[in-house]
Amino acid sequence: MWLGLHAVACAPTGPIDPPPTLAATGLYADAASRSLAAGVMPFEPQYPLWTDGARKRRWIALPQGTAIDASDADAWQFPAGTRLWKEFTFAGGVETRFMQRRADGTWLYATYVRKNGEPDDVLAPAAGMPGFVATLNGKRHDVPSHADCRLCHESGRTAVLGFSALQLSSDRDPQAPHGAPATAGSLDLESLVARGLLLHLPEQLLAVPPRVNARTATERAALGYLHGNCGNCHNASGPLQRLGLRLDHPLLAATPPAIETTFGVPSAFQHRSARARIDAGSSATSLLWLRVAADDAITQMPPFGRHLVDEKARDLLARWIDEQRPGDTTASSLPHQPTKKKKGS
Amino acid sequence: MNTILKLALVGGATALVAATAAYSSASAAMSPVERGRYLVSTSGCHDCHTPWHLGPNGPEPDMTRALSGHPSSFELAPLPPQNAGWPVSAAPTNTAWCGPWGVSFTANLTPDQATGLGSWTAEEFMAAIRTGRHQGRGRKILPPMPAPVYAQMNDADLQAIFAYLRTIPAIGNKVPEPLAPR
C-alpha cells in the first residue's frame, strides 16, 4: 500500500496501469480510518447522475501548482495528473470509480469494489462485474467495464462529467432530482477561483452564477436532469451527434438544444404508441419520457448504468412535458440568462 | 527419430510455410473491398442479414435483398409460447429471432442513407462490433449476432468489411426495433 501511495506521489502525471487498491490511488491519508489525503477536495454536482439509487460522494485532486483551464465554459481542460473519485454506496457494498489524467492527455479508468464485511477496496476486472450487489425488485447493480467508462466519459468535449460551471454553480436548483445541498467545504465556482484552481473562467459566469435557461422551475430541473444524465452522450460533438439529438445544456446557447431537438421531432426509435421525441403536452406519447420510464434492456435510457427506473426523474419529466402547450414545436419566449447576480439562492 | 520421419516433418513444415506465404500474399493482394467481400461471404453475415425465402432448391438467401436485414413488410406470425426446453425460435426469413432476450431483428447493412449504414462511419461500425453495443453506445446487440466473435477481428478486417458494405446496392428497409421480453 505504501508503495502504491509512493508511486502516485512521485508520478504526478499518473500511472499507466490502475493501482491495485483504492488506497494506492492516493485518496486517503490513512486508509484504515479513511481520512482523506491532503489536497483531496469534495464536490457535489447540482444535477447528479442517477445510478440505481446509490448514495454518492465525489472528490477531486489536482497536482500541486496546477489549475483547471475554464476558458471554454462548457469544456474545462484538466491538467495532467488530475484525479477524480466517485463513491457509490449500495446496501450490499461500495464501488468507487477512479479516473486520472495521464501525461499524454488520455485518461486512466479504474473501479474498486468492497462488499460489506470485506476490509479493502480492490481493483475490479477491466471487464466489469455484472451483478455486483443487489439493489431493489430483484435487480442487481453492475460495475461497469473500462470500455463502458470510456463510452460515457469520452463521448463529449471533456471526459470529466459532473464537474463544470453549471454543475458547480452556487445558484443551485432546489428541484433537481437527487440534488443535495452543497456541504461545507464542497467546491463551487467561487471557491475554485479564489483558491487559484480555476483559471480563465469567463467573467460573466462569476458575476452571474450560471443556471439552466428555462421558462419555469419545472423546466429548469428537467433540462438540468437531462444535461447531467443524458447530455454526456447526446451532444453535438460526440459519436452520436449524427442523431441530431442534444440533451446537453451549453451555457451560452440562446435556446436549449434539448428543446430544439426534441419538441415535435420524430424519433428514429420505433414505438407502437409514440412517434416524437417529445410530444408537447403528452408525456405518454413522448419517446424521451417512455425510454426514461422503461426498465427493459431494449427500451430504457440510459442503456446501461442502471436497471431501476429513476422515479423522481420520471415524474419530473412527465410534469414538464405535460405542462407544455399541446402541439408546440417551438421554443419561443425563452428567457435570456439573468443579468443580475443572485445572492444566497 | 528415423530419417523418414525427419524428412516427412521437414516436408510438412515446408508445405505449411509455403501455404502460409501464399495465403499472406493472396490476402495482401486483395483490396480492402475484396477482402471485405471475402470476409462477409465466409463469416456467416448472409445467414441472418439476408432474408431467406423458399427457392427452387429449398430455403436459400434472397440475394435480391442481400444484407438488407429483416424485411419491414414481413408479417410476423404470433410469437410462439415461451418454452424453457426450446427457448429460441426463428422466423422463416431467418431475420427475426425470439428468445429470452425478447425479439431481435437483423439490421440493414446496406448503404441506404435512411435505413441502413449509409450515415455510419467506419469508426462507428467498428465501435459497434468492438463494444457489442448498438451504434457503439446504446443497448447491447442482441442474439443471435455473434458480436463477441467478430470483436476479435483486427482493425484492418473490420475496416475491410465496412468498405465492402459501402459498395453493395442500397436497399431501403426500415428494420423494426427489437421487442422487450414478454
Side-chain angles (χ1 to χ4, degrees):
Chain A
M1 185 182 300
W2 184 89
L3 285 174
L5 282 169
H6 179 77
V8 170
C10 291
T13 52
I16 300 301
D17 297 317
T21 64
L22 178 60
T25 64
L27 176 60
Y28 302 124
D30 175 47
S33 65
R34 302 188 190 281
S35 57
L36 296 178
V40 174
M41 302 168 285
F43 67 96
E44 291 272 357
Q46 64 169 327
Y47 298 109
L49 175 73
W50 192 80
T51 312
D52 284 346
R55 286 182 288 116
K56 297 185 180 180
R57 294 192 297 171
R58 306 161 184 83
W59 303 275
I60 185 171
L62 302 176
Q64 193 149 17
T66 66
I68 302 161
D69 181 353
S71 306
D72 185 331
D74 295 310
W76 290 357
Q77 292 300 310
F78 293 79
T82 296
R83 288 170 290 157
L84 295 110
W85 298 262
K86 185 171 173 186
E87 177 190 81
F88 300 65
T89 300
F90 298 92
V94 177
E95 169 194 345
T96 305
R97 299 178 190 172
F98 171 68
M99 55 191 289
Q100 179 162 2
R101 191 157 211 194
R102 298 186 177 108
D104 64 1
T106 62
W107 289 87
L108 174 149
Y109 301 95
T111 305
Y112 300 89
V113 293
R114 170 170 47 91
K115 286 191 175 176
N116 292 349
E118 295 177 348
D120 298 318
D121 302 80
V122 297
L123 183 65
M129 295 176 67
F132 169 53
V133 289
T135 52
L136 293 173
N137 307 331
K139 302 285 181 73
R140 301 185 70 86
H141 168 71
D142 301 329
V143 172
S145 67
H146 291 183
D148 285 346
C149 295
R150 290 190 192 88
L151 290 186
C152 281
H153 283 272
E154 299 185 358
S155 292
R157 295 169 60 211
T158 176
V160 178
L161 310 174
F163 194 94
S164 64
L166 178 61
Q167 292 283 26
L168 299 179
S169 172
S170 59
D171 184 5
R172 293 175 78 86
D173 186 342
Q175 291 195 30
H178 318 292
T183 53
S186 281
L187 294 171
D188 63 11
L189 286 185
E190 286 84 350
S191 64
L192 281 166
V193 172
R195 295 167 70 170
L197 302 176
L198 190 66
L199 303 178
H200 313 305
L201 183 70
E203 282 288 324
Q204 66 202 89
L205 297 182
L206 265 185
V208 182
R211 64 184 288 162
V212 166
N213 184 18
R215 296 167 288 196
T216 66
T218 300
E219 184 164 272
R220 178 188 179 191
L223 294 176
Y225 182 86
L226 294 174
H227 173 77
N229 284 265
C230 315
N232 51 309
C233 276
H234 292 294
N235 54 58
S237 56
L240 294 183
Q241 60 181 285
R242 65 184 172 78
L243 297 179
L245 171 61
R246 291 192 62 184
L247 300 175
D248 57 327
H249 194 82
L251 287 175
L252 302 178
T255 302
I259 291 178
E260 282 188 315
T261 65
T262 59
F263 278 40
V265 177
S267 171
F269 188 88
Q270 301 170 73
H271 192 276
R272 63 186 178 282
S273 60
R275 296 287 177 273
R277 290 170 175 168
I278 288 182
D279 183 8
S282 173
S283 56
T285 51
S286 296
L287 254 309
L288 182 145
W289 184 83
L290 288 165
R291 302 193 73 178
V292 169
D295 64 356
D296 67 82
I298 290 170
T299 313
Q300 74 168 52
M301 279 288 163
F304 56 97
R306 75 159 176 96
H307 288 293
L308 300 172
V309 173
D310 183 349
E311 295 178 355
K312 280 189 180 177
R314 177 195 63 193
D315 295 348
L316 166 70
L317 293 170
R319 284 199 307 278
W320 172 53
I321 294 170
D322 292 341
E323 78 178 13
Q324 306 302 319
R325 192 171 60 244
D328 190 2
T329 57
T330 68
S332 59
S333 72
L334 278 165
H336 293 296
Q337 292 278 353
T339 53
K340 292 180 182 175
K341 183 167 184 173
K342 298 172 75 75
K343 294 283 187 185
S345 54
Chain B
M1 191 179 293
N2 64 43
T3 305
I4 293 176
L5 181 56
K6 284 180 182 173
L7 285 172
L9 284 173
V10 169
T14 304
L16 186 61
V17 168
T20 303
Y23 164 79
S24 299
S25 173
S27 178
M30 284 182 176
S31 70
V33 169
E34 289 168 337
R35 174 75 178 159
R37 184 201 315 274
Y38 168 79
L39 290 167
V40 165
S41 304
T42 56
S43 300
C45 303
H46 286 287
D47 291 356
C48 297
H49 287 275
T50 297
W52 285 53
H53 65 171
L54 200 58
N57 302 311
E60 59 186 13
D62 177 0
M63 297 307 283
T64 65
R65 297 190 286 181
L67 299 170
S68 62
H70 178 76
S72 58
S73 58
F74 184 83
E75 286 197 22
L76 280 181
L79 295 179
Q82 290 184 312
N83 184 332
W86 292 89
V88 178
S89 307
T93 52
N94 218 35
T95 55
W97 295 71
C98 178
W101 62 87
V103 180
S104 48
F105 302 97
T106 56
N108 183 346
L109 304 182
T110 75
D112 184 66
Q113 279 290 327
T115 63
L117 300 185
S119 64
W120 287 48
T121 64
E123 289 72 27
E124 288 170 328
F125 175 77
M126 291 170 67
I129 300 295
R130 289 262 186 264
T131 63
R133 290 192 176 280
H134 183 56
Q135 299 186 335
R137 271 162 171 75
R139 62 164 170 78
K140 288 196 171 170
I141 293 174
L142 299 170
M145 172 69 179
V149 176
Y150 302 144
Q152 307 303 315
M153 288 181 168
N154 61 37
D155 285 355
D157 280 352
L158 290 177
Q159 286 164 349
I161 289 174
F162 188 72
Y164 168 63
L165 293 175
R166 309 293 287 186
T167 69
I168 64 178
I171 298 175
N173 175 44
K174 177 80 171 168
V175 173
E177 301 290 347
L179 305 176
R182 288 171 284 176

